[in-house]
Amino acid sequence: MKRKVVAALLIGSPILVQAAALERTPQSTDFIFDKGNRVEAGISFVRPDISGKALNPQTGKFDADTGSVANNFNAYALQGKFQLNDALSLGLKYEQPFGIDVAYGDKAGVSAGLRAKATVHNLTALAAYKTPANITVFGGPAYQRLDGHAQVNVPVFGTYKLELPTDGAWGYVAGAAYEKPEIALRASLTYRSQIKYKGAARESAGPLNSTNPIELKIPRSVNVNLQTGIAPKTLLLAGVRWTDWSNFKISPKAFGTVAKSDLVTYEKDSFQYSLGVGRQLTDKLTGVVIGTYDTGAGSVISPLGPTNRSYTLQLLGKYQVNDNVDIGLGAQYKRYKDQETTSKAMGRSTVVGRFDGMNVWGVGARVGVKW
């Protein structure tokens, strides 16, 4: 019975992630397993320190200080789960799973003036059915809207600017889980489809301005998660996430014509491996420690997103205020592998930056109400 209590307490703990490529969250669907009816709201504050040396066109050396090129950002989440009967439940979740916010100063060598900002807003609706054999199947539609713009330097044409279309697009989520309540075991598999945007992008370079069709595909992903009791009041947590970044690209028409390359691409898919332990510390307080390793999305990284392979430590806590209300707090530290950034233009690849000592701090808080 104690293991059941710990399992319930862990659900909804704030998870703070800034992962490979443009990922900011693991797009968890665990909220659909909450007991009874429950709504939750959360906020995260993320403070990156991403700095290095850029190629100096005057000296030909990497001696131009970039300063911290990644801006601080806040992320918001809202979710609700509603139990219709013993077998059927519905869920709704809003989150911001992908994004970027980088800006290089005027003294950052060949990368001076480069900037990009984008946020993906995602709304997922789920229906779940639990069989008498403790197998749950779930799925539903996912709606996304993208806001984004970028500015880079292109040989011959100088400063190039891009405004992405703000149209929404649809995808879907499907998954299944098996539970064994007497040992707090749950194993789940979740698939998220690719979401394809089609719209008109505004491009400008010097005196040239044009509006051109563009197609952008937010990558599909698979999450595998496991939790099980390993001792009284103690849970083991493990997870693997795959994201199909090798098929992602931003390829504006005018930019490709001039620069002879895509604006953003990734070499490989990314994998995230996590392992953690949760412990019921008192009748009201639960603590969780989780470590995560992210493989990154390849060795050729754009200066628009200089982070790649990383290690993360998360500390999470949940306090049960009363039978209906709980609050959660979390802190994260992420350390990135040293990384070179590469610019592709005019059919050539050029190393334009070297980044080291990169890290991210984050804190988050949330409140949950159940009935």
Side-chain angles (χ1 to χ4, degrees):
M1 181 63 66
K2 290 291 186 182
R3 290 179 183 176
K4 292 184 185 178
V5 173
V6 178
L9 285 172
L10 289 176
I11 292 172
S13 295
I15 302 295
L16 310 169
V17 175
Q18 176 69 45
L22 307 179
E23 288 189 77
R24 286 182 171 174
T25 78
Q27 296 185 280
S28 172
T29 55
D30 285 349
F31 74 100
I32 200 65
F33 301 105
D34 288 351
K35 302 300 181 184
N37 302 305
R38 176 183 169 85
V39 294
E40 180 180 302
I43 184 171
S44 299
F45 307 91
V46 183
R47 303 297 179 256
D49 182 7
I50 310 299
S51 59
K53 298 291 185 179
L55 180 63
N56 188 332
Q58 297 178 342
T59 64
K61 299 179 180 180
F62 292 91
D63 58 9
D65 193 350
T66 66
S68 185
V69 303
N71 294 318
N72 299 341
F73 67 90
N74 303 332
Y76 308 91
L78 181 65
Q79 62 191 37
K81 182 259 183 178
F82 310 97
Q83 194 72 41
L84 302 184
N85 55 45
D86 290 343
L88 185 63
S89 59
L90 300 176
L92 190 66
K93 182 175 184 177
Y94 165 78
E95 61 184 332
Q96 298 163 325
F98 303 99
I100 190 171
D101 189 355
V102 299
Y104 289 72
D106 295 336
K107 298 180 180 180
V110 295
S111 297
L114 182 151
R115 59 191 69 242
K117 186 173 184 177
T119 303
V120 171
H121 304 269
N122 187 93
L123 187 64
T124 300
L126 294 177
Y129 178 76
K130 186 174 183 178
T131 72
N134 286 328
I135 295 174
T136 301
V137 291
F138 57 90
Y143 176 79
Q144 285 187 356
R145 184 174 61 82
L146 170 67
D147 299 319
H149 57 84
Q151 176 178 302
V152 299
N153 300 317
V154 181
V156 181
F157 279 82
T159 301
Y160 164 87
K161 296 181 180 181
L162 169 69
E163 290 284 343
L164 292 172
T166 58
D167 299 337
W170 291 88
Y172 66 89
V173 180
Y178 170 72
E179 296 176 280
K180 192 172 183 180
E182 56 266 29
I183 61 170
L185 170 68
R186 183 173 71 237
S188 63
L189 173 69
T190 306
Y191 172 80
R192 283 186 177 268
S193 73
Q194 180 186 83
I195 294 183
K196 185 185 297 185
Y197 289 87
K198 288 185 177 180
R202 292 188 295 172
E203 301 180 76
S204 63
L208 304 178
N209 291 274
S210 62
T211 299
N212 300 304
I214 191 172
E215 181 176 284
L216 191 151
K217 302 173 183 177
I218 300 297
R220 56 184 177 162
S221 63
V222 174
N223 287 27
V224 179
N225 294 100
L226 172 70
Q227 70 169 48
T228 184
I230 55 175
K233 303 182 180 181
T234 306
L235 277 181
L236 175 70
L237 308 169
V240 178
R241 174 175 167 85
W242 165 78
T243 309
D244 186 22
W245 284 112
S246 61
N247 285 315
F248 174 87
K249 66 178 180 179
I250 301 177
S251 186
K253 182 178 179 181
F255 179 86
T257 301
V258 174
K260 310 298 183 184
S261 69
D262 299 318
L263 181 60
V264 178
T265 59
Y266 296 100
E267 280 186 308
K268 300 178 180 179
D269 300 340
S270 69
F271 289 85
Q272 298 168 32
Y273 304 94
S274 62
L275 186 65
V277 175
R279 175 76 176 176
Q280 183 178 344
L281 304 175
T282 71
D283 289 343
K284 292 182 175 290
L285 183 64
T286 303
V288 184
V289 179
I290 300 175
T292 302
Y293 169 65
D294 192 314
T295 65
S299 59
V300 180
I301 301 298
S302 166
L304 288 173
T307 58
N308 195 21
R309 192 169 65 186
S310 64
Y311 301 87
T312 304
L313 178 66
Q314 296 179 76
L315 302 177
L316 310 170
K318 178 176 178 180
Y319 181 75
Q320 195 72 36
V321 179
N322 55 44
D323 290 343
N324 302 106
V325 178
D326 59 82
I327 57 176
L329 297 173
Q332 168 194 279
Y333 175 73
K334 180 182 289 290
R335 182 79 175 188
Y336 290 100
K337 173 184 176 292
D338 295 349
Q339 179 67 48
E340 291 184 342
T341 57
T342 301
S343 176
K344 293 183 178 181
M346 314 308 289
R348 298 186 303 171
S349 294
T350 305
V351 175
V352 294
R354 292 175 177 168
F355 290 78
D356 56 21
M358 298 180 289
N359 64 85
V360 173
W361 286 94
V363 295
R366 57 128 194 100
V367 60
V369 179
K370 64 180 181 180
W371 65 94

